Amino acid sequence: MFYAELLQAALAEPDWSILQRLAEIAVRLEMSLYIVGGPVRDCLLRRTGTDLDLTTEGDALTLARVAARDLGGAWKKFERFGTAKLYFPGRARSAPIDVATTRTETYAHPGALPEVTRGTLQTDLVRRDFTFNALAIRLDGDHQGELIDLHGGEQDLQQGLLRVLHPRSFEDDPTRLLRGARFEQRFGFSFATDTLQLIPPALPALDQVSGDRLRHELELIFGEAQPLKPLLRLHDLGVLHQIDPACVVDDWIAARFQTQTAPPERNVEEAQDDRFTCWAWLTCRLTESSLTRFSQRVNLARAEAVDVAQVKALRDAQGTIGMLQRRSEIYRALAAYSDRALRTALTVIDRPAAQQNIGLCLNELRHVKPALDGHQLQALGALRGPGLGRLLEQIHDAVLDGLITTPQQEEDYARQFIAREGQDP
Ligand code: ATP
């Protein structure tokens, strides 16, 4: 029962109640039920968490369907993987309970995604990354509270050690190198000596890992409370260099990450912005060709690849940007850049004059709009075409520069323009 009590202490009360009721349903269906992986590790570390990963040697889809029906929740099945997500009122939609049938994984070649077949709890645990993530606590019936520790995970946790389960583990799935550095630095642990020795020969296997998987792992690191620590570790281990020779964490980059103080609660957009900023810090001092290659290697989404290139361009052009004087000139010079690129550029530019102009553009100039639009100008006699575009731009510039301050002045300006240039060139 000791482990059941630990689990109860680590979980919020409603989560513990849900687990109890799921366990009752498992008993009724004559299935085993375990909580497994991260939440078990966290509860043994006396850390509270919200992840609930469950596994059963029975049919997870049946268990999820019956649980959703009997407990008033919703469920979503992923037939191909034999997994389901359960949603209950009171638990955030973004934090469903994962239920899976125990599985076996085999790798066609290093770095490939695993082929998954149904397995036993033993095979399900042995496929995991580190011994402390290969722990399960049984939840059903009289077995409730039994710790299943087939690989010495509890002892490794007590000693603060990361240990893989078999010597080919990193080759099978080189993303474990990134996961390992993340856990090591999050918990203040160390790789066990024999595990550390497996890292250098496994590095070339990273070449087989898809950009999407690498990006995902790096973004999980960016989302840690202190991302710099695992990044430095990965730098020192040669992992970043293997991903791309341009991917380094030098003092300049480290200083940027040190300024980052992530508030505990970030909404989705803020978290996305934070991730983008991390990519920009890693890439904005690269040459254009290195930046393109690195963006491709981690398969950055097109919009992000464009914006990190913009941050670099802004940083490179800071001398020129700092010299701009007229407000309309500043507005035009920065018009093609996204808000996100401009905001991020403020964190990588050191010239105060360029900072000031970019800040002015973001905070003020981008919000200045003339009163008259194209339709109203046409009503005054301007014809559609390039002349109209020029007129709109000139009025906008004059408003930005404070030469025109009222709608009446805009109208006067437009009438003079039309009289001077004719109705259309
Ligand atoms: P976190 O606290 O960062 O969420 P977690 O351990 O819960 O960590 P998940 O990515 O949710 O991490 O994975 C859940 C479990 O699945 C892990 O605890 C581990 O047992 C297993 N796992 C995840 N990724 C891998 C992998 N690449 N190789 C082997 N096992 C993995």
Side-chain angles (χ1 to χ4, degrees):
M1 280 308 278
F2 170 67
Y3 294 101
E5 281 156 20
L6 271 190
L7 194 57
Q8 183 173 7
L11 297 178
E13 164 46 31
D15 288 349
W16 175 247
S17 300
I18 290 176
L19 286 192
Q20 297 289 96
R21 299 179 72 187
L22 288 170
E24 285 160 21
I25 293 171
V27 170
R28 224 170 63 220
L29 296 171
E30 297 182 357
M31 291 182 191
S32 57
L33 186 65
Y34 306 86
I35 183 164
V36 68
V40 179
R41 173 201 69 214
D42 289 345
C43 116
L44 294 189
L45 285 172
R46 314 296 196 268
R47 287 177 158 239
T48 48
T50 53
D51 265 11
L52 291 181
D53 296 335
L54 305 180
T55 189
T56 171
E57 286 149 313
D59 179 16
L61 301 188
T62 304
L63 179 66
R65 178 174 51 76
V66 174
R69 186 194 65 200
D70 292 2
L71 305 181
W75 72 299
K76 192 169 168 193
K77 64 178 164 183
F78 301 88
E79 206 128 14
R80 204 174 129 223
F81 301 106
T83 63
K85 290 190 183 295
L86 274 170
Y87 304 87
F88 291 111
R91 261 186 81 81
R93 186 88 193 155
S94 56
I97 298 177
D98 288 310
V99 192
T101 298
T102 46
R103 51 161 91 172
T104 304
E105 286 182 354
T106 46
Y107 295 84
H109 60 80
L113 281 173
E115 277 151 32
V116 176
T117 49
R118 197 167 168 155
T120 60
L121 183 69
Q122 283 74 11
T123 66
D124 195 277
L125 293 179
V126 80
R127 73 184 170 86
R128 293 177 185 258
D129 47 3
F130 300 102
T131 57
F132 62 45
N133 277 341
L135 293 163
I137 297 176
R138 193 155 173 179
L139 300 171
D140 57 294
D142 294 343
H143 296 286
Q144 185 170 87
E146 284 175 13
L147 178 75
I148 293 89
D149 179 9
L150 307 176
H151 305 281
E154 189 181 26
Q155 192 184 352
D156 284 339
L157 265 187
Q158 282 159 358
Q159 296 182 351
L161 292 175
L162 282 101
R163 192 188 305 280
V164 287
L165 275 67
H166 59 90
R168 285 199 53 80
S169 180
F170 288 131
E171 267 112 352
D172 277 351
D173 182 353
T175 65
R176 291 171 186 165
L177 295 164
L178 291 102
R179 289 176 62 82
R182 183 158 58 87
F183 292 129
E184 187 194 42
Q185 300 304 317
R186 184 199 292 171
F187 300 132
F189 282 12
S190 316
F191 284 104
T193 310
D194 45 358
T195 292
L196 196 59
Q197 282 167 357
L198 297 171
I199 294 179
L203 291 177
L206 279 161
D207 297 350
Q208 312 301 320
V209 179
S210 72
D212 285 343
R213 295 187 73 210
L214 290 176
R215 190 187 65 255
H216 177 68
E217 290 301 332
L218 285 167
E219 289 186 343
L220 287 176
I221 290 175
F222 298 162
E224 289 285 310
Q226 297 185 59
L228 178 60
K229 288 178 164 190
L231 287 174
L232 284 172
R233 184 64 159 142
L234 290 170
H235 177 96
D236 293 345
L237 289 170
V239 171
L240 295 185
H241 186 270
Q242 187 75 35
I243 291 173
D244 190 295
C247 185
V248 293
V249 181
D250 58 12
D251 290 348
W252 186 92
I253 291 173
R256 296 293 161 301
F257 276 96
Q258 264 153 358
T259 62
Q260 196 186 32
T261 47
E265 293 297 331
R266 303 292 272 162
N267 67 33
V268 176
E269 285 94 48
E270 286 168 335
Q272 220 166 20
D273 254 20
D274 290 347
R275 284 199 299 268
F276 172 77
T277 303
C278 295
W279 287 120
W281 288 343
L282 286 178
T283 57
C284 71
R285 290 175 313 137
L286 301 180
T287 62
E288 236 167 79
S289 60
S290 295
L291 187 149
T292 306
R293 191 192 57 223
F294 183 34
S295 297
Q296 284 170 352
R297 177 63 189 105
V298 294
N299 203 17
L300 278 190
R302 170 131 184 84
E304 296 205 316
V306 167
D307 282 1
V308 289
Q310 286 198 349
V311 175
K312 175 193 161 42
L314 286 163
R315 189 183 135 76
D316 291 351
Q318 57 181 306
T320 322
I321 294 170
M323 285 190 298
L324 300 172
Q325 296 290 333
R326 281 212 332 267
R327 288 159 59 95
S328 57
E329 210 178 31
I330 297 166
Y331 176 86
R332 297 281 159 221
L334 301 177
Y337 296 92
S338 70
D339 276 9
R340 172 164 75 169
L342 290 177
R343 269 198 314 272
T344 309
L346 290 173
T347 67
V348 301
I349 279 178
D350 32 41
R351 294 207 182 194
Q355 294 240 7
Q356 211 177 344
N357 283 346
I358 292 174
L360 178 71
C361 178
L362 271 173
N363 300 326
E364 218 182 304
L365 305 183
R366 289 210 160 174
H367 308 290
V368 174
K369 299 276 176 261
L372 297 182
D373 63 18
H375 297 292
Q376 290 160 315
L377 292 175
Q378 285 179 68
L380 291 176
L383 290 181
R384 287 172 72 119
L388 179 58
R390 238 184 14 257
L391 174 57
L392 276 166
E393 202 172 290
Q394 285 187 16
I395 293 177
H396 193 176
D397 285 355
V399 173
L400 281 166
D401 292 333
L403 303 173
I404 287 179
T405 54
T406 65
Q408 184 56 53
Q409 286 175 339
E410 286 185 31
E411 198 177 315
D412 296 345
Y413 187 99
R415 289 190 194 286
Q416 281 167 22
F417 179 96
I418 294 163
R420 193 173 61 242
E421 301 217 1
Q423 294 205 321
D424 209 16

